[in-house]
Amino acid sequence: MGTEIETKTKIRRINAKKITRAVKKLFIEANTVLGEDVFEAFHLASSREESATGKEVLKKIIENVDIARRKKMPICQDTGLAVVFVEMGQDVHITGGELHEAIEEGVRQAYADGYLRKSVCDPFTRANTTNNLPAIIHMDVVSGNQVKIIAMPKGGGSENCSAAKMLTPAAGIEGVKKFVLETVENAGANPCPPIIVGVGIGGSLEQACVMAKKALLRPVGEANRVDERAEQIEKELLASINNLGIGPAGLGGRVTALAVNIEMMPCHIASLPVAVNIQCHVARHKETTL
Amino acid sequence: METRKIKTPLTEEIIRSLHAGDMVLLSGEIYTARDVAHRRLYESLLKGEKLPIDLTQAVIFYAAPTPRPPKKVIGSIGPTTSYRMDSFTPKLIEAGLRAMIGKGNRSPEVVEAIKTNNAVYFGAIGGIAALMSQCVKKVEMVAYEDLGPEAIRKLTVKDFPLLVVNDFQGNDLYLSTQNNWRI
């Protein structure tokens, strides 16, 4: 039997301060500069929208993104819970500090120095933590010697409209579609439409929720390329959601959602978990690889 | 679409001339207050305490801005979702509140209080906070400073773009327009 200790692997060292600087930059940028894919989707939506009010709302949404970028101001006053996805290469060694603390320090600096709103509080006393911490950190260990960091400031209004349900296996695809549609209909004007709908199907309760959130990171307009069934449900749901008539800002119109993004995985023989994570039109996320 | 300019204080005459669907540009003084500030105002009213703001003919904007950067009047500001204030609102309307600015539907109890007391609920577009902040000309800290972003501030606004959602006659803009576009 050979030794189980591999000596030839090249470990790459990354200083914790570098992580902090990257996280800070990502959150300030995400809050002030909207992604090109979302911006283009607004223009497309505007050309498709038939309601005069809906068109006017989209015009203001586009104008707002321009002002925010030009004046380096937050696009929305709700600069969100700081959600962070980390893909940590297993051949990386963080030096000079602890990874979790380095990420949170980046969030703290971004929200202080970037003039972003601190929107985190105790669940019962409602006392503000004053630094937008804790961050919500999802960590995956992957192969390689790089670290990918995705910063996603997530607004509370659209998060409040999100839901998860453990369906019976008998409910099937139709049951999933019904639950997603009901969730969007109940949300109405509240989550600041046009929205993006992230859906997680399968896994466990919490995995379905994480998939639903990760689905929101996919560029707008890109379909699920892994599973043809998911791609089909995305198309059907987008059409039925837009038929609800909720429209931009909930003032009636053709465009209620810009995209439906589904992530799927196998689940327990007893279950059919489904989670719906709703994203407002200020769909913010920025990423970097160190 | 025709847009009408109105100014605070919102008198009964002005409020009774507003109809669901009207686009207005509001100028004058409005207060920001959201979740915790509402709970505090409500509890003070129950205890019969003096409120830190005069609710007579007042306008409340459900909002909490981002911090003010140097050399600016205010950070970004826009409406939060209104239903969370619903359980406190009828009591505030009884105490003199006449207009609310937010986004999303109100409860039947709030719609009823709006009708009974000649009040109005305006909808603002959510998520256009950099644009809306350009209408804010002055900001004054008024109460509950410990709440940070959620503190009550008095804003002086010019041509704040709003839509009448619920009017004194009980009409509801969201309900009527969404049904028009439903397939």
Side-chain angles (χ1 to χ4, degrees):
Chain A
M1 294 289 286
T3 172
E4 288 183 4
I5 298 170
E6 172 63 70
T7 49
K8 283 178 185 164
T9 306
K10 270 232 163 113
I11 298 293
R12 183 169 159 241
R13 290 182 172 77
I14 298 180
N15 194 285
K17 284 199 178 71
K18 200 169 172 185
I19 303 275
T20 296
R21 277 198 300 273
V23 169
K24 176 184 179 180
K25 189 163 175 267
L26 288 175
F27 272 100
I28 292 178
E29 217 176 273
N31 270 300
T32 48
V33 184
L34 196 70
E36 276 303 317
D37 59 325
V38 187
F39 197 59
E40 274 170 32
F42 291 157
H43 286 282
L44 202 69
S46 181
S47 63
R48 231 174 59 225
E49 184 52 75
E50 296 163 24
S51 143
T53 315
K55 265 190 187 300
E56 183 62 28
V57 171
L58 288 164
K59 197 178 131 196
K60 286 209 164 79
I61 287 174
I62 290 167
E63 198 186 334
N64 179 65
V65 171
D66 274 333
I67 293 175
R69 181 170 30 202
R70 243 182 18 248
K71 301 201 169 194
K72 297 188 168 65
M73 287 176 76
I75 306 161
C76 179
Q77 79 287 341
D78 185 353
T79 49
L81 262 179
V83 180
V84 187
F85 289 95
V86 183
E87 288 173 23
M88 179 79 188
Q90 64 178 14
D91 299 330
V92 172
H93 177 206
I94 302 294
T95 59
E98 198 261 324
L99 178 59
H100 191 97
E101 279 172 18
I103 293 168
E104 291 217 313
E105 178 59 19
V107 171
R108 195 190 64 74
Q109 290 181 14
Y111 281 75
D113 303 346
Y115 299 96
L116 306 179
R117 196 181 75 185
K118 287 74 175 170
S119 310
V120 181
C121 71
D122 180 274
F124 290 132
T125 67
R126 310 307 291 179
N128 199 300
T129 62
T130 73
N131 52 14
N132 220 51
L133 296 177
I136 310 296
I137 304 172
H138 300 281
M139 191 93 66
D140 283 324
V141 177
V142 299
S143 63
N145 61 2
Q146 293 183 315
V147 181
K148 182 174 173 184
I149 304 169
I150 307 172
M152 181 195 208
K154 184 65 175 68
S158 56
E159 198 76 354
N160 280 349
C161 301
S162 303
K165 195 170 180 181
M166 305 302 278
L167 299 178
T168 61
I173 288 182
E174 287 313 310
V176 167
K177 287 197 282 196
K178 187 167 169 268
F179 177 64
V180 176
L181 202 59
E182 272 172 12
T183 305
V184 173
E185 186 169 16
N186 290 340
N190 293 350
C192 291
I195 55 174
I196 298 170
V197 184
V199 183
I201 303 169
S204 51
L205 172 70
E206 88 282 6
Q207 191 58 38
C209 292
V210 172
M211 283 192 292
K213 182 143 272 131
K214 278 190 178 171
L216 295 174
L217 300 172
R218 199 194 299 161
V220 178
E222 199 177 291
N224 183 316
R225 288 182 182 142
V226 183
D227 195 311
E228 277 177 19
R229 295 166 305 169
E231 188 178 353
Q232 185 58 30
I233 308 171
E234 285 174 356
K235 271 190 203 153
E236 287 175 24
L237 272 174
L238 183 60
S240 359
I241 287 169
N242 285 332
N243 283 346
L244 289 172
I246 295 168
L251 295 168
R254 283 281 82 88
V255 186
T256 300
L258 301 172
V260 177
N261 296 344
I262 295 176
E263 297 295 321
M264 269 171 65
M265 72 183 292
C267 54
H268 192 279
I269 51 174
S271 322
L272 175 50
V274 53
V276 183
N277 201 180
I278 296 185
Q279 169 67 62
C280 63
H281 62 76
V282 190
R284 295 156 288 187
H285 52 90
K286 287 277 186 269
E287 60 182 68
T288 191
T289 301
L290 301 176
Chain B
M1 221 172 292
E2 203 185 322
T3 304
R4 218 181 114 196
K5 293 197 176 201
I6 55 173
K7 278 199 173 82
T8 64
L10 296 182
T11 60
E12 189 168 333
E13 194 192 344
I14 296 174
I15 285 174
R16 290 180 74 94
S17 72
L18 296 171
H19 299 98
D22 287 356
M23 286 178 75
V24 300
L25 295 173
L26 176 71
S27 297
E29 290 181 346
I30 64 178
Y31 293 107
T32 63
R34 50 176 289 165
D35 305 73
V36 185
H38 269 75
R39 174 170 290 280
R40 288 193 188 175
L41 290 172
Y42 180 80
E43 283 171 356
S44 286
L45 280 172
L46 288 186
K47 287 184 205 152
E49 293 167 356
K50 191 178 181 303
L51 299 184
I53 56 170
D54 182 8
L55 283 180
T56 315
Q57 288 189 332
V59 182
I60 288 184
F61 181 21
Y62 303 141
T66 58
R68 182 181 69 84
K71 294 176 192 164
K72 290 217 167 119
V73 177
I74 194 168
S76 296
I77 188 164
T80 193
T81 320
S82 308
Y83 74 87
R84 296 193 315 272
M85 271 50 80
D86 282 355
S87 51
F88 308 116
T89 300
K91 189 98 191 145
L92 267 57
I93 292 178
E94 279 168 33
L97 176 69
R98 280 300 164 265
M100 296 139 282
I101 303 169
K103 65 174 167 92
N105 290 323
R106 308 310 303 262
S107 69
E109 291 78 15
V110 172
V111 174
E112 193 53 40
I114 288 171
K115 259 171 80 177
T116 317
N117 297 281
N118 285 316
V120 62
Y121 169 52
F122 295 110
I125 300 171
I128 57 161
L131 188 148
M132 285 194 92
S133 73
Q134 315 293 306
C135 303
V136 180
K137 301 302 165 195
K138 198 177 146 197
V139 181
E140 195 186 324
M141 178 63 74
V142 176
Y144 309 150
E145 201 170 346
D146 62 297
L147 295 180
E150 291 195 69
I152 298 185
R153 292 167 172 84
K154 184 154 81 179
L155 311 183
T156 307
V157 295
K158 186 158 185 344
D159 294 338
F160 218 42
L162 307 171
L163 275 144
V164 178
V165 173
N166 293 109
D167 62 25
F168 77 104
Q169 289 173 310
N171 297 309
D172 186 313
L173 176 67
Y174 289 127
L175 219 61
S176 54
T177 51
Q178 290 177 8
N179 281 337
N180 283 347
W181 290 93
R182 200 184 171 102
I183 293 173

